[in-house]
Amino acid sequence: MNKLFSILLLSAVIVSSFAATKISQDPGGEHHDSPLEEIMEEMKDNMRAARKLIDDAEQHPQCILHIQSMQQLAIDALPYCPESPGEDGLEKSKYEINFKRRLLVVADTLLRLELALHEGDTETAQDLYQRLRQTKKESHDVYNPEDEDE
C-alpha cells in the first residue's frame, strides 16, 4: 500500500511538472504577484476555509473540496522555487530540492487529512491541520523570511 501511494504521488508530481499552469502577466507592465505568490494566496484562502469547516462533520464534504484544491496547489507550486539566497552550485540545488520536498510533505499531509475527513475522524483531521500550519510557518521562515503574516 505504501509503495503504491509513493508511485501514485511520484506519478502525479511528474505529470504536474509537465502540465504546470502558466499564470499570465498583464502586458501593461503593472506589478503582479509571481506564480508562486498567487498559488500560495489561493492555498491560504483554502486553508482558512477548511479551518472553519473541519470540526463540523456535516461540512466535511465541502472541507474535502478545499483540501483537494490545496493538494493540487502544492503540486502546481513545485516548479516555482523562490530565489536561492546562496550562490549557484550544490547549495542552490539543495535549496531547490528541499523546497520541493516540503511541498511533497504538504501534499502528503493533505492526503492524510482528506482521508481523516472521509473517515469522520475530526481529531486526527485537526492534528493534521495543525501540522500543516507548523509546516507553513517553518517553510516561510526558510523561503520567505520577510513574511511577517501569521
Side-chain angles (χ1 to χ4, degrees), residues 102-121:
R102 284 177 189 263
L103 286 171
L104 294 176
V105 167
V106 167
D108 181 56
T109 304
L110 288 163
L111 289 166
R112 293 170 49 211
L113 174 52
E114 179 184 352
L115 183 58
L117 291 169
H118 281 294
E119 294 173 339
D121 187 348

Side-chain angles (χ1 to χ4, degrees), residues 10-126:
L10 180 61
S11 298
V13 169
I14 291 170
V15 168
S16 72
S17 67
F18 287 112
T21 311
K22 297 284 183 187
I23 299 174
S24 65
Q25 296 287 328
D26 179 30
E30 295 179 22
H31 172 71
H32 291 280
D33 288 340
S34 71
L36 181 60
E37 289 171 324
E38 290 184 20
I39 289 168
M40 290 303 141
E41 194 62 36
E42 276 188 67
M43 183 79 82
K44 183 168 62 172
D45 292 345
N46 278 290
M47 252 185 110
R48 286 179 178 161
R51 182 187 70 224
K52 294 175 184 176
L53 303 172
I54 211 164
D55 286 328
D56 183 354
E58 290 181 20
Q59 297 295 321
H60 283 181
Q62 182 62 37
C63 188
I64 288 169
L65 294 176
H66 291 291
I67 299 305
Q68 290 172 337
S69 292
M70 291 169 61
Q71 292 164 5
Q72 186 60 53
L73 289 164
I75 292 168
D76 290 346
L78 284 169
Y80 300 114
C81 183
E83 192 67 34
S84 171
E87 296 181 23
D88 287 346
L90 180 59
E91 290 307 311
K92 181 178 180 178
S93 294
K94 286 180 180 179
Y95 180 85
E96 292 171 354
I97 288 168
N98 285 330
F99 173 78
K100 292 175 184 178
R101 290 170 94 184
R102 284 177 189 263
L103 286 171
L104 294 176
V105 167
V106 167
D108 181 56
T109 304
L110 288 163
L111 289 166
R112 293 170 49 211
L113 174 52
E114 179 184 352
L115 183 58
L117 291 169
H118 281 294
E119 294 173 339
D121 187 348
T122 303
E123 185 177 330
T124 298
Q126 277 292 355

